[in-house]
Structures are given as structure tokens and as C-alpha cells.
Amino acid sequence: MELSVWLDAAAQAASEIATGSLGATSTTWEGRPATTLPGDLCGVYLPLLSDELALQFGFLATFVVCAKLSRALLGIAPDEELESEADVFDAVGEITNLVAGGVKARLVGRCTVNLGVPLALQGRVFPASGSRSMQGVIRIDESDVWLVMTGTPRSPNR
Amino acid sequence: MKILLVDDSKAMRLIVRRTLRQAGFGDHAITEVSNGKEALDAVRADHPDLILSDWNMPEMNGIEFLDALNAEGISVKFGFVTTERTPEMRARAEGAGASFLIVKPFTPEDFKVALASILG
């Protein structure tokens, strides 16, 4: 299955979570820009293991946007501070988990998907050789979030 | 009643606590742990009446935790609160003895429906 199918499923799931759990009023899928990922992003990668591919799904944004989305998830007022950076990444991890669950639900009947445990990061990740990567931007209200799908083919002899 | 909440995300534990309150179940004693291994120790020590567990967690995931409870012959009401919502996962949970599966994202109504017969 093409990486673009996974990314499109992630965009749909992210839109659903944004307007539901995060209370966003609008989302726009900006699609796949020709530019590379900005270097100042942070967020969470979560493994998605399918029959054919070992995928890493990334949900990335600036720290300011990550904090804003975390406050939305937790129902914390915009002028209230979160306890710590770790709390922001924990909440973004849960948002990523919700989106990944939506991806899995959208691909039922097409492939089997197992979800892994999220890993938070700051900075840029470079796919290793043999990996393919695709990314796109979803605008959640006024905030840009980068959705990344990086896939490595699984060995038939696994 | 004593409720054990098992989730590796502090954010999600906070949200589940809040949703329990909104669903009218805020009077129960709630304790929290962050994976199945810690939960198994908590069950042995505190004997909760109800367990609400995530599925995907480090150390020991939710279904491994439920299998471990079964292996030890520990009988306790158990429900999953998880993003896992495929028919296969639901069947796996029911097969292991889970009473219900609440899918994230959830609403207070989802908790009312799932827990009414257990918590009253």
C-alpha cells in the first residue's frame, strides 16, 4: 500500500481529532509541500507496524503549537501554564495516539496494523537508507502541524 | 468502590478522571499507575473493584496485564480505555474476559453506558 494512503488516512484522522477532542473550529489539509521538514519542530513519533511496512508516524509542530494543542486536549485555559515540557510531550503523545487509532480504523480490511508506544523528540529526524518518507501539513485553526509517514519494507522472512 | 486507572499517559489519566466525574462517578476512590507491570503489583496490594486500562503501554501492555490476572486466578471487573477499536482487538479483549471497551476519544456518555451496571 502506498505511503500516500497512510498519510491521507492520518490527515483525515487528525482533522477528526482536532475538531472533536481538541475543540478546533476548522482544519485544512494543506497537502504535501515540496519543502523539507523545518528544523525547529518537536512532537511525537509512534510506530505503526503493518504486514508490509514498519512505519513511523510523526505528529510535529513548533513547541508553542504543541503546548497550545496540549492545553486544548487537557481543557486548560490558554493563559494557564502547563506543569512542564514533559507534560506537553505527554499530551502530544496522546494526541498522536488518538490520530494513529483513527488511521488504524480507516485501514481495517486493507491491512493489519499494530500500534507501538510513542516517542517524543525535538529537532529533525533523518530516515535511514531503505526508508521512504512523506509529509504534509494540516492547519488546525491558525496552527500548522506536520504529519510525517516514514516507512521501511518488512522482510518476508521476519 | 476502588478503581485502578492504568495508562502510561499522565494526560490521559487526567482526562479519564475528569470524565468519570462528569459521568457521575466522581465519588469513587481512584488510584493510578502507568503500565501493566505496576498495575499487577497494585492489584495484589490493593484489590481494586474495577480496572480501567489502556491497551498500548510500555513494560506490560493492557492485554498482557489482563492475561496475567487470569493466570493468577484474580477475578476483577476489567475494561479497556483505548484507541484500539478494530473487531479483532475487541474480540481479543472479550475473549480474555474484559467487560467492556471504551474507545478514545470518548465522552462522559460512553462512560455512563459502560459503567452504569458496575458502579451504579
Side-chain angles (χ1 to χ4, degrees):
Chain A
M1 198 160 57
E2 290 298 316
L3 217 49
S4 60
V5 175
W6 290 88
L7 189 61
D8 289 345
Q12 291 168 19
S15 177
E16 181 183 79
I17 297 303
T19 53
S21 302
L22 305 181
T25 54
S26 70
T27 63
T28 309
W29 177 231
E30 303 282 333
R32 298 183 282 277
T35 55
T36 55
L37 278 172
D40 62 343
L41 302 181
C42 57
V44 166
Y45 275 89
L46 189 145
L48 299 172
L49 200 60
S50 79
D51 304 326
E52 298 172 354
L53 289 171
L55 292 152
Q56 290 284 343
F57 166 53
F59 186 98
L60 311 173
T62 62
F63 185 80
V64 171
V65 170
C66 286
K68 184 178 170 185
L69 297 176
S70 301
R71 284 194 292 267
L73 179 73
L74 297 171
I76 296 173
D79 58 342
E80 242 179 296
E81 286 296 318
L82 282 164
E83 278 184 35
S84 69
E85 198 174 67
D87 287 341
V88 172
F89 287 123
D90 178 61
V92 173
E94 202 49 48
I95 294 168
T96 308
N97 191 34
L98 292 172
V99 175
V103 171
K104 181 173 178 174
R106 279 166 174 79
L107 298 179
V108 165
R110 300 181 68 176
C111 66
T112 303
V113 185
N114 289 308
L115 305 184
V117 176
L119 180 71
L121 70 104
Q122 279 182 300
R124 189 173 286 169
V125 168
F126 295 91
S129 63
S131 295
R132 289 175 295 137
S133 193
M134 192 174 273
Q135 65 261 347
V137 175
I138 185 167
R139 179 157 294 163
I140 299 174
D141 288 335
E142 301 303 316
S143 303
D144 284 349
V145 173
W146 289 72
L147 305 180
V148 183
M149 281 288 177
T150 297
T152 308
R154 297 187 71 192
S155 163
N157 300 321
R158 64 186 180 273
Chain B
M1 290 182 86
K2 290 192 284 189
I3 301 172
L4 177 63
L5 182 51
V6 190
D7 199 308
D8 55 321
S9 166
K10 183 180 168 186
M12 188 47 66
R13 294 198 302 268
L14 189 150
I15 292 168
V16 171
R17 270 182 181 270
R18 187 173 64 211
T19 307
L20 280 167
R21 276 199 307 274
Q22 290 168 339
F25 303 124
D27 294 338
H28 299 281
I30 302 170
T31 54
E32 299 178 8
V33 291
S34 60
N35 61 58
K37 207 170 174 181
E38 290 177 6
L40 202 52
D41 291 338
V43 170
R44 290 175 185 136
D46 299 331
H47 310 289
D49 303 294
L50 170 66
I51 297 169
L52 299 175
S53 178
D54 188 18
W55 192 297
N56 296 306
M57 296 179 289
E59 297 282 346
M60 178 187 281
N61 69 31
I63 196 69
E64 290 168 346
F65 168 41
L66 180 53
D67 286 342
L69 291 174
N70 290 333
E72 290 194 20
I74 298 171
S75 179
V76 55
K77 287 284 183 192
F78 191 107
F80 284 103
V81 182
T82 175
T83 53
E84 299 287 2
R85 51 174 147 162
T86 60
E88 292 79 15
M89 292 300 207
R90 199 173 279 275
R92 175 82 175 87
E94 287 171 1
S99 302
F100 56 84
L101 188 149
I102 297 172
V103 177
K104 301 174 188 173
F106 45 72
T107 65
E109 191 58 32
D110 295 329
F111 273 67
K112 280 183 191 170
V113 170
L115 300 179
S117 62
I118 299 169
L119 297 178

